[in-house]
Amino acid sequence: MNDIQALLNGLLDSIRDAVIIADGEGNPLRSNPAFETLMGFSSSGGAEVSRLAAGMIYRALNPGAGGRWQGMVTCPDGKERPFEVTAAAINSAADFPDRYLCVVRPAVAEDANGESGTFGYDSLTGLPNRDLYADRIGQAVLQANRTGGSVALMMMGLDRFTLVNDALGHGAGDRLLIEVARRLKMCVRETDTAVRLDGDKFALVMAIADTDDSVIVAEKALNAVKEPFALDGQEVVITFSIGISVYPLDADSSAQLVKHAENALHYAKVSGRNQYQFFSKDMNRKAKSRLELEGRLRRALANDEFVVFYQPKVSADRDTIVGAEALIRWMDPERGMVSPGEFIPVAEESGQIEAIGTWILRESCVQNRKWQDAGFDPLKVSVNVSARQFRSRTLIETVTEALDSSGLDPKWLELEITESMLMNDVDTAVRKMKALRDLGVGLSIDDFGTGYSSLSYLGRFPITTLKIDRAFIADVDTNPKTAEIARAIIGLSRGLNLEVVAEGAEIAEHIMFLRNNGCDTVQGFYYSRPVPAEEFERMMRQRVLIHA
């Protein structure tokens, strides 16, 4: 036995691979000279070698690690270096091995282009990346458990970062991210960790003595990012949304800390952006409710729970129906009618809005053709296009398919697009709109006057209709300034030879003002709320609409 042990010791001492032998519970029994040389120890053995080896074994044997771990290790010279640890059981008896053989190597990662780089660090910003993220959180939590302290995790996302990429190109977007990383590092201590996760998402991992510490850092980060950036000769202003969770106040594990910070970030985004939000149990309930709603939305599309309602567009002069806007409604078997204001934002955030938009487009074309086949006078039905749907490369194909499959003449379909959707990339938007107009489809700018458009671009957009936002109609009878804006939009539309539609007309005074000022078409509760197809059909039979 002693001969065998001597042989093993001689083998360990002579091989070039860095090796640690651990017992069945993961405690290091010995390491070889190659390990001590690799790590940078000046003398062999000792408690410091055992401590370092124990930390690496612990991570490799963690549940879910599968016997392998990559990460940064603080070496004896105080510098962090990337290593890879692989642990294999020796003399395994069922689930209780007698020993573990752990091999340690320097870690080298490849970037997206297949080029070698340092494991654990983002090649663009130089910040630690997602490879180190979980490890830094785990170390911070372990330290907090030992000292009785707390850990704050801040998840951070840039607001509307895609606008920069779309307007100035990805090169400018990358330069912005590099500058954001630089400013973020200036907001934290050397003992804290700033991480770039992916895209425009960052994180901060920090030990705190009090919750107020995280508030101070969050406010510093918000203010630092709000300072204008100089990109390609342009001044760009961008903001952060931050979600904060605190261990052990909000979570009892690293994984829960991450989940709750992500929930808090989502809440910060939907609550208005450019702010920080702390996790709370109420927020967690809202997050669960949102996930449930997201799941029900997927089932709703598969189970035909959506229906299309139609709101008439009425000639201001003759009180006759001249068109309709198609509006989606959700008839949930359990909850009944679900408000669009509740499910549309979730559909947009979850990416389901494109599939839902395609469905309502097809359904509206089929219904309009049915009305024509039934002998009703043809009318134009307008369908809203979401930003995601407008950006889709398959939009033209989707519209063409909806028209072909229904047999509807393109001139009886109109697509409503908001002005903010067009301003991200004007040249691309114009090309896509021209392609739609070449199909014979009408195009309407929705909510005109509330977005970010420039009148200099309006002449470039191949549109057929302008819709005056309800905000300008609500008090035209009492507010001279609003009335003047409405008159100006009507005059602009007529000058550009566009149809003008005023939405939100609710009282007789609104109708009188619009009629007297040359507005072609009105839409609003004065005549009718959105109604199911059958009820809209009854209205068409009446021809002339009276006050609802």
Side-chain angles (χ1 to χ4, degrees):
M1 184 67 179
N2 288 338
D3 289 343
I4 295 175
Q5 187 64 50
L7 179 63
L8 289 174
N9 287 340
L11 182 62
L12 282 175
D13 289 344
S14 62
I15 63 174
R16 294 183 178 181
D17 285 328
V19 173
I20 309 166
I21 303 295
D23 65 20
E25 295 181 353
N27 300 308
L29 299 176
R30 69 153 296 181
S31 57
N32 68 345
F35 172 75
E36 292 157 16
T37 300
L38 177 66
M39 303 311 296
F41 287 102
S42 56
S43 58
S44 62
E48 187 62 18
V49 175
S50 295
R51 183 198 64 76
L52 195 60
M56 300 172 85
I57 296 167
Y58 169 79
R59 294 184 179 107
L61 297 181
N62 240 347
R68 183 178 178 182
W69 173 80
Q70 277 189 330
M72 304 299 292
V73 176
T74 303
C75 297
D77 61 2
K79 293 184 179 179
E80 284 191 331
R81 296 183 176 88
F83 292 97
E84 178 183 72
V85 183
T86 305
I90 305 173
N91 296 335
S92 177
D95 293 327
F96 303 100
D98 292 336
R99 297 285 188 273
Y100 284 102
L101 173 68
C102 305
V103 179
V104 182
R105 296 186 178 93
V108 177
E110 290 187 345
D111 63 18
N113 299 316
E115 299 178 354
S116 296
T118 304
F119 170 83
Y121 286 88
D122 176 48
S123 59
L124 179 67
T125 64
L127 293 179
N129 63 16
R130 193 176 284 279
D131 294 324
L132 283 184
Y133 177 52
D135 182 60
R136 292 293 174 86
I137 295 172
Q139 289 186 38
V141 167
L142 286 173
Q143 181 66 20
N145 288 338
R146 284 196 293 266
T147 62
S150 297
V151 178
L153 173 60
M154 299 186 189
M155 298 283 286
M156 320 170 93
L158 290 171
D159 300 326
R160 300 187 177 93
F161 174 66
T162 54
L163 290 180
V164 176
N165 274 339
D166 291 343
L168 301 179
H170 290 281
D174 285 348
R175 292 193 292 277
L176 175 64
L177 292 172
I178 292 169
E179 179 61 16
V180 167
R182 187 190 69 80
R183 295 185 188 184
L184 202 54
K185 284 191 288 188
M186 296 175 63
C187 296
V188 297
R189 303 163 298 188
E190 288 187 6
T191 52
D192 302 326
T193 302
V195 179
R196 184 193 177 202
L197 297 173
D198 47 55
D200 62 354
K201 286 185 70 176
F202 295 81
L204 290 180
V205 184
M206 51 190 296
I208 58 171
D210 187 87
T211 305
D212 286 348
D213 294 344
S214 56
V215 172
I216 294 169
V217 175
E219 290 180 345
K220 284 172 65 177
L222 288 178
N223 291 329
V225 171
K226 274 193 295 189
E227 289 295 315
F229 296 85
L231 296 174
D232 297 344
Q234 296 193 43
E235 191 175 84
V236 175
V237 177
I238 201 162
T239 57
F240 248 151
S241 291
I242 304 175
I244 308 170
S245 63
V246 177
Y247 176 90
L249 178 66
D250 300 323
D252 54 20
S253 68
S254 299
Q256 200 173 59
L257 188 68
V258 172
K259 177 184 175 184
H260 290 173
E262 288 174 343
N263 287 345
L265 173 59
H266 170 77
Y267 193 73
K269 288 275 190 184
V270 300
S271 298
R273 300 182 173 91
N274 188 26
Q275 60 176 305
Y276 59 86
Q277 289 284 349
F278 279 91
F279 172 81
S280 68
K281 287 184 171 56
D282 179 59
M283 187 186 300
N284 198 29
R285 284 193 293 271
K286 290 178 179 176
K288 287 180 180 178
S289 176
R290 181 189 174 280
L291 287 174
E292 290 171 3
L293 183 61
E294 192 176 315
R296 290 206 313 276
L297 265 177
R298 289 193 179 90
R299 292 193 296 274
L301 196 57
N303 297 338
D304 292 327
E305 295 172 13
F306 292 118
V307 294
V308 181
F309 277 31
Y310 297 88
Q311 186 172 31
K313 295 180 179 179
V314 182
S315 166
D317 289 335
R318 302 186 306 277
D319 289 337
T320 55
I321 297 177
V322 294
E325 179 177 0
L327 298 160
I328 195 165
R329 295 293 183 264
W330 179 13
M331 306 298 291
D332 189 316
E334 298 175 6
R335 299 175 57 193
M337 179 80 79
V338 181
S339 165
E342 183 178 352
F343 73 83
I344 290 297
V346 175
E348 289 175 341
E349 291 165 19
S350 64
Q352 297 182 67
I353 193 67
E354 193 170 343
I356 291 173
T358 298
W359 178 86
I360 191 173
L361 179 64
R362 291 171 178 165
E363 190 71 16
S364 302
C365 289
V366 167
Q367 181 61 70
N368 199 2
R369 180 57 194 260
K370 282 181 180 178
W371 284 329
Q372 292 181 16
D373 291 344
F376 291 102
D377 291 338
L379 53 78
K380 188 176 292 184
V381 173
S382 60
V383 179
N384 291 285
V385 176
S386 70
R388 189 184 187 100
Q389 198 175 7
F390 186 75
R391 290 195 301 266
S392 172
R393 295 179 179 178
T394 62
L395 175 62
I396 308 300
E397 180 183 336
T398 299
V399 173
T400 302
E401 190 276 332
L403 292 167
D404 290 346
S405 61
S406 64
L408 182 70
D409 190 313
K411 68 181 179 181
W412 302 117
L413 173 65
E414 182 175 75
L415 302 180
E416 294 195 4
I417 304 165
T418 60
E419 24 175 358
S420 56
M421 286 162 47
L422 306 176
M423 301 310 296
N424 295 346
D425 184 346
V426 172
D427 291 336
T428 299
V430 168
R431 285 195 298 271
K432 187 163 288 189
M433 293 171 80
K434 284 181 177 176
L436 290 168
R437 289 292 296 126
D438 288 343
L439 294 177
V441 171
L443 293 176
S444 171
I445 298 288
D446 195 13
D447 301 337
F448 183 76
T450 62
Y452 307 97
S453 69
S454 166
L455 292 179
S456 63
Y457 287 119
L458 196 55
R460 292 183 59 190
F461 296 144
I463 58 176
T464 54
T465 306
L466 272 186
K467 287 191 80 174
I468 308 176
D469 186 72
R470 64 183 66 249
F472 298 117
I473 304 302
D475 59 353
V476 290
D477 54 318
T478 59
N479 187 333
K481 291 183 178 179
T482 304
E484 199 56 45
I485 292 173
R487 287 191 192 96
I489 297 175
I490 294 169
L492 177 67
S493 301
R494 297 180 73 85
L496 294 172
N497 197 29
L498 301 174
E499 179 187 4
V500 58
V501 178
E503 57 182 345
E506 298 187 353
I507 59 177
E509 287 78 7
H510 294 166
I511 303 299
M512 186 63 67
F513 172 88
L514 294 166
R515 183 180 293 153
N516 292 340
N517 285 279
C519 182
D520 305 308
T521 309
V522 296
Q523 177 183 347
F525 290 176
Y526 179 82
Y527 287 109
S528 174
R529 294 174 179 272
V531 296
E534 298 80 9
E535 190 171 341
F536 187 82
E537 194 171 306
R538 287 195 293 273
M539 291 180 179
M540 286 195 291
R541 287 195 179 96
Q542 295 173 8
R543 295 184 179 274
V544 176
L545 280 187
I546 58 173
H547 174 41

